[in-house]
Amino acid sequence: MGEVNLHGEWSSPFSYRVIWALKLKAIEFEYIEEDLSNKSPLLLQYNPIYKKIPVLVHGGKPISESMIILEYIEETWPKNPLLLPSDSFERAMARFWIKFSEEKGPTIWKIFVTSGEEQEKVKNESLEILRTIEEKGLGEKKFFGGENIDLLDLAFGWMPYWLGVIEEILGLKLLEADKFPRLHAWIKNFKQVSIIKDNPPDRDRMLIHFSSLREKLLH
């Protein structure tokens, strides 16, 4: 099927989406760590439009944007396991919530770069988004896709790790267990999937990195 390389960055949830998907599919790949302050000539060559990670290179052909990469992986290696439902309606619903994640996720991340009244406003907006995800997107299911992890879980995969880091740095709690019991259960289930458990981001390193980043962004 051709050589598979992934250009990513250690603190990026978008990189981890792809890492997890490749490992769930048991696809052999070479990971290439990028320094985003000094991007490699290969990254600039493979993604000349946005100049961002992640970039998947398969058989010499580059694919950019994490969710597009995930759909490419699913279409190229459709088995073991399926990451999108085989039923067309269920697949459409998964894509609907993936789009919701991509559109609304940045609002929640905005809390990281705000303070004071603006942060309080973003916090309230974020709680509404999380409530929608909890009640309408996840519901009573173990995973967003049902009994097994799928592409939609990977789309929301930044929450179990990155949101917790942001909460700790800011000294606030968005995902309180009593207010979001379903999402709390999902986070526990997500982290217990062997591929996820064996390939987590480095929390301690992220705390240092994102603390420093927040200071730079606010000063």
Side-chain angles (χ1 to χ4, degrees), residues 86-155:
S86 54
D87 178 80
S88 56
F89 175 78
E90 293 298 327
R91 195 161 58 246
M93 289 300 96
R95 287 188 168 123
F96 171 88
W97 284 106
I98 287 169
K99 189 169 188 290
F100 182 91
S101 168
E102 297 299 275
E103 289 180 350
K104 301 297 185 180
T107 298
I108 300 175
W109 274 89
K110 194 177 175 186
I111 202 167
F112 177 68
V113 295
T114 54
S115 58
E117 288 184 11
E118 187 181 0
Q119 188 181 78
E120 190 62 26
K121 180 186 175 187
V122 175
K123 179 182 176 181
N124 291 332
E125 290 173 358
S126 298
L127 289 171
E128 281 300 312
I129 293 167
L130 291 170
R131 200 166 292 115
T132 300
I133 295 168
E134 162 109 355
E135 295 173 2
K136 308 293 186 184
L138 180 59
E140 301 293 340
K141 301 189 293 292
K142 180 179 180 180
F143 294 102
F144 282 94
E147 283 302 305
N148 299 299
I149 192 171
D150 73 358
L151 233 61
L152 186 49
D153 296 282
L154 299 183

Side-chain angles (χ1 to χ4, degrees), residues 17-18 20-27 67 69-71 73-75 77-86 90-91 94-95 98 144-145 148-154:
R17 285 176 177 175
V18 182
W20 289 331
L22 289 168
K23 287 187 174 289
L24 283 165
K25 295 277 191 182
I27 299 163
M67 291 312 304
I69 293 171
L70 262 59
E71 292 226 16
I73 290 169
E74 176 68 358
E75 290 171 5
W77 297 277
K79 298 178 181 178
N80 305 318
L82 273 175
L83 292 180
L84 274 174
S86 54
E90 293 298 327
R91 195 161 58 246
R95 287 188 168 123
I98 287 169
F144 282 94
N148 299 299
I149 192 171
D150 73 358
L151 233 61
L152 186 49
D153 296 282
L154 299 183

Side-chain angles (χ1 to χ4, degrees), residues 44 46-52:
L44 300 177
Y46 287 140
N47 190 1
I49 308 299
Y50 295 113
K51 302 177 176 64
K52 292 180 181 178

